[in-house]
Amino acid sequence: MYNEFDLDKIDIDIDSEPPTEEPFRQYYFMAKCRDWVRAFEQKNGRCPTAFTQTFGCQMNARDSEKLMGILTEIGFCETEDENADFVLYNTCTVRENANQRVYGRLGYLSTLKKKNPSMLIALCGCMMQEPDVVAKIRKSYRFVDIIFGTHNIFRLAELMWRRLDEGKTAVDIWEDTSLIVEELPSERKYPFKSGVNIMFGCNNFCSYCIVPYVRGRERSRKPEDIVSEIRRLSASGVVEVMLLGQNVNSYGKTLDTPVTFAGLLRQVESVEGIRRIRFMTSHPKDLSDELIGAMAASKKVCRHLHLPVQSGSSRILKAMNRRYTKEQYLELVGRIRAAMPDISLTTDIIVGFPGETEEDFQETLDVVRQVGFDSAFTFIYSKRTGTPAAAMEDQVPEDVVKDRFDRLLKEVQDISARVCARDLHRVKDVLAESVDDHSAGYVTGRLDNNTIVHFPGDASLIGSIVPVYLEESRGFYYMGRMVSDGDRIQD
Ligand code: 5AD
Ligand code: SF4
């Protein structure tokens, strides 16, 4: 995170030179852009507005908080509306439909920009790491002002300045990086919980997945940097942290002094004020007994594991390059459950991977039934250019995939409605997260296993952990009522 740094003290005179070292170089450009903001304010009598939209995963959501932190530091006022002076899309490319959504939104933005020609439009994130995408945007969406990728989001101010100064599209895509820039501002979406990056990139190369190509090689942040960020978060009122990485189970392997993920969890556990620790995502092949032990021994690590299985067929898993079999996955689930019987397990499943037969699909259904996932994100296989699976023969016909997808979804939903009710009529701790959108007088919170609970309450509860009696299970969530601390002890 970011120590207050006085941008107004930086020398940004016309003949000044930007520092070469980070993060000081970015502070310099933030100060330059802040000057521009002041001129805008004088001219328009208001601060320029900024809007960010995140597509994709939690990593992107966290990146967007950092990008908004830089924009706020520069002097932009955040708005919920795309009709803004600065619009930034943080894109995702994991499946083709994510790309299509971005192109669709860009069409809309071009109409807004016609009405407000000084509007700045920026695109960043995973989609921008694909050369074909950048070429298409430069050719067909020429109104886009700034384009950057996943490795250099810390450079937003520098790129904005370049665009303002030179008056032409600023494009900056890095193929890969070993750089991790600390000490930049960040704007948090929730005051009481926060994502914390512990590592970037992925080395697994699952054969369907584009992530290793767009997020680069695995690199871990130093444990001391992570812990001091979490200390600062705790001091500012955060009670729950989500440790983020594509494959947290291989955390620390590339550090000068290697640390295991279980070791990191123990260090995070010792931070006072933090009550809940979550993490994602775990790759089954790297999930160690040491981690299971550390989770089971911990009072703060939530009883929830997101453990993507992707397929139940060992044959397909091999073609996916997942490096575990169906049996190994089930055996791992057995070990986890033996250590933590109340744990909630969630997963990701892909349907229609090239060559998937009905028998393979039945194996997937079998794993779903045997494990009894609390929930599963189900995806239709999407062909990503450049990945090994895109060149595989036997792509499964669309109607067959759709039929399997529907059957899988039904199975997943039936099971999850049953499994999620496991704590019915118990008193459990709930972190109150938001005022209910649908029913007045209610708040929405989460159990430590991530299940949602609605219960009567008001905004004053947001951010606190309170005991709630789980009165009724409605499939994926509970209706409950708050009780006193004494009731919790009888549970
Ligand atoms: N097609 C469909 N789903 C995919 N995922 C990753 N790549 C693809 C793809 N090409 C899914 C995986 C992963 C989740 C984040 O997205 O299930 O775990
Ligand atoms: Fe993609 Fe596999 Fe890496 Fe996950 S572990 S990001 S699915 S390559």
Side-chain angles (χ1 to χ4, degrees):
M1 226 183 355
Y2 179 61
N3 283 319
E4 283 305 309
F5 194 88
D6 193 349
L7 295 185
D8 290 333
K9 294 222 171 86
I10 299 175
D11 173 17
I12 50 167
D13 280 350
I14 197 104
D15 50 3
S16 62
E17 280 293 318
T20 47
E21 231 175 277
E22 300 293 3
F24 306 102
R25 184 176 173 86
Q26 296 314 310
Y27 297 160
Y28 173 88
F29 285 108
M30 283 184 224
K32 289 272 226 194
C33 291
R34 190 185 270 190
D35 243 23
W36 176 86
V37 164
R38 289 202 175 122
F40 179 102
E41 283 171 343
Q42 285 214 324
K43 187 168 158 225
N44 298 285
R46 62 170 178 86
C47 68
T49 51
F51 170 82
T52 57
Q53 165 110 37
T54 311
F55 298 82
C57 67
Q58 311 253 10
M59 302 282 278
N60 263 17
R62 181 68 186 136
D63 283 351
S64 292
E65 290 184 343
K66 294 178 185 168
L67 291 159
M68 193 41 103
I70 295 172
L71 291 169
T72 309
E73 193 62 36
I74 290 172
F76 281 88
C77 295
E78 186 171 3
T79 163
E80 301 291 306
D81 185 342
E82 257 152 323
N83 205 344
D85 299 301
F86 186 91
V87 173
L88 176 117
Y89 287 162
N90 189 2
T91 63
C92 168
T93 188
V94 76
R95 286 168 294 275
E96 178 60 27
N97 55 4
N99 292 35
Q100 292 313 327
R101 277 176 59 208
V102 170
Y103 290 126
R105 299 306 296 169
L106 279 177
Y108 172 60
L109 278 191
S110 81
T111 59
L112 291 181
K113 190 157 179 168
K114 282 194 187 109
K115 285 185 220 144
N116 175 13
S118 63
M119 174 182 193
L120 291 174
I121 297 174
L123 298 176
C124 67
C126 295
M127 220 175 128
M128 300 307 124
Q129 293 294 141
E130 293 182 271
D132 291 356
V133 169
V134 174
K136 177 169 171 169
I137 288 167
R138 299 197 72 175
K139 181 159 172 272
S140 310
Y141 300 84
R142 300 174 69 108
F143 55 88
V144 173
D145 297 285
I146 302 169
I147 302 174
F148 55 108
T150 55
H151 301 300
N152 53 350
I153 60 161
F154 64 92
R155 275 186 136 193
L156 172 61
E158 180 168 354
L159 296 172
M160 185 186 299
W161 181 253
R162 197 196 292 170
R163 164 68 187 79
L164 293 170
D165 193 37
E166 295 175 4
K168 55 177 203 260
T169 312
V171 183
D172 191 21
I173 313 285
W174 297 5
E175 254 180 47
D176 204 347
T177 185
S178 54
L179 201 65
I180 297 178
V181 178
E182 302 280 349
E183 298 293 327
L184 283 169
S186 156
E187 191 75 4
R188 290 202 324 268
K189 201 163 168 210
Y190 302 95
F192 54 88
K193 68 173 182 179
S194 179
V196 175
N197 295 112
I198 63 165
M199 60 197 300
F200 304 91
C202 180
N203 284 354
N204 285 317
F205 291 95
C206 300
S207 64
Y208 50 81
C209 189
I210 200 162
V211 168
Y213 305 90
V214 295
R215 288 252 170 205
R217 295 294 64 71
E218 222 167 81
R219 51 214 182 274
S220 297
R221 283 177 76 196
K222 292 194 204 107
E224 54 272 28
D225 289 338
I226 296 169
V227 169
S228 72
E229 175 175 348
I230 295 175
R231 279 212 187 95
R232 275 180 284 187
L233 287 169
S234 165
S236 71
V238 164
V239 292
E240 176 179 306
V241 286
M242 163 84 92
L243 308 180
L244 296 171
Q246 301 296 347
N247 179 13
V248 294
N249 301 119
S250 69
Y251 169 79
K253 289 185 183 157
T254 53
L255 291 169
D256 292 341
T257 321
V259 184
T260 62
F261 180 56
L264 176 71
L265 271 187
R266 282 190 285 266
Q267 292 192 36
V268 175
E269 171 111 21
S270 71
V271 177
E272 231 173 277
I274 296 298
R275 309 265 309 267
R276 286 183 169 182
I277 304 168
R278 301 185 184 282
F279 54 86
M280 90 190 292
T281 286
S282 297
H283 195 305
K285 82 173 161 59
D286 296 315
L287 201 145
S288 65
D289 284 335
E290 188 199 6
L291 175 61
I292 298 175
M295 280 184 84
S298 166
K299 289 215 160 36
K300 295 184 178 177
V301 177
C302 290
R303 291 289 186 262
H304 171 218
L305 253 183
H306 185 66
L307 199 59
V309 65
Q310 312 297 3
S311 168
S313 152
S314 296
R315 197 180 69 83
I316 294 292
L317 287 168
K318 189 158 198 311
M320 286 177 161
N321 193 29
R322 292 289 289 176
R323 284 171 279 172
Y324 55 85
T325 60
K326 174 187 182 186
E327 290 68 31
Q328 283 167 331
Y329 185 89
L330 290 173
E331 191 265 333
L332 173 63
V333 166
R335 267 186 287 144
I336 295 167
R337 287 241 163 93
M340 292 167 283
D342 56 344
I343 196 156
S344 129
L345 293 173
T346 58
T347 200
D348 292 343
I349 301 170
I350 297 176
V351 182
F353 183 83
E356 183 190 75
T357 62
E358 178 60 27
E359 289 71 47
D360 294 317
F361 176 66
Q362 288 298 331
E363 300 272 19
T364 299
L365 287 180
D366 185 48
V367 168
V368 167
R369 288 183 198 118
Q370 285 202 48
V371 176
F373 293 108
D374 277 62
S375 74
F377 296 99
T378 50
F379 304 108
I380 287 183
Y381 167 72
S382 170
K383 190 169 169 175
R384 308 312 288 130
T385 310
T387 61
M392 287 180 189
E393 286 168 10
D394 283 348
Q395 303 276 332
V396 185
E398 221 173 282
D399 54 332
V400 175
V401 179
K402 183 75 183 56
D403 174 62
R404 284 182 197 158
F405 182 82
D406 292 343
R407 284 188 282 153
L408 175 66
L409 196 62
K410 174 143 192 347
E411 192 76 44
V412 161
Q413 286 175 343
D414 289 351
I415 291 173
S416 105
R418 236 179 15 248
V419 172
C420 286
R422 66 160 89 70
D423 289 320
L424 189 62
H425 303 313
R426 292 213 174 111
V427 174
K428 287 272 164 187
D429 280 341
V430 176
L431 171 59
E433 298 200 342
S434 58
V435 174
D436 232 336
D437 295 338
H438 309 297
S439 13
Y442 277 75
V443 290
T444 302
R446 279 174 199 274
L447 299 182
D448 93 328
N449 75 10
N450 219 27
T451 309
I452 286 178
V453 184
H454 300 283
F455 60 101
D458 58 38
S460 67
L461 290 174
I462 307 302
S464 34
I465 295 178
V466 291
V468 173
Y469 175 68
L470 305 174
E471 227 158 16
E472 187 192 339
S473 165
R474 296 204 185 151
F476 310 103
Y477 63 90
Y478 290 104
M479 301 304 294
R481 70 183 150 79
M482 235 169 90
V483 293
S484 65
D485 268 323
D487 293 316
R488 182 188 353 220
I489 294 159
Q490 289 157 22
D491 173 40

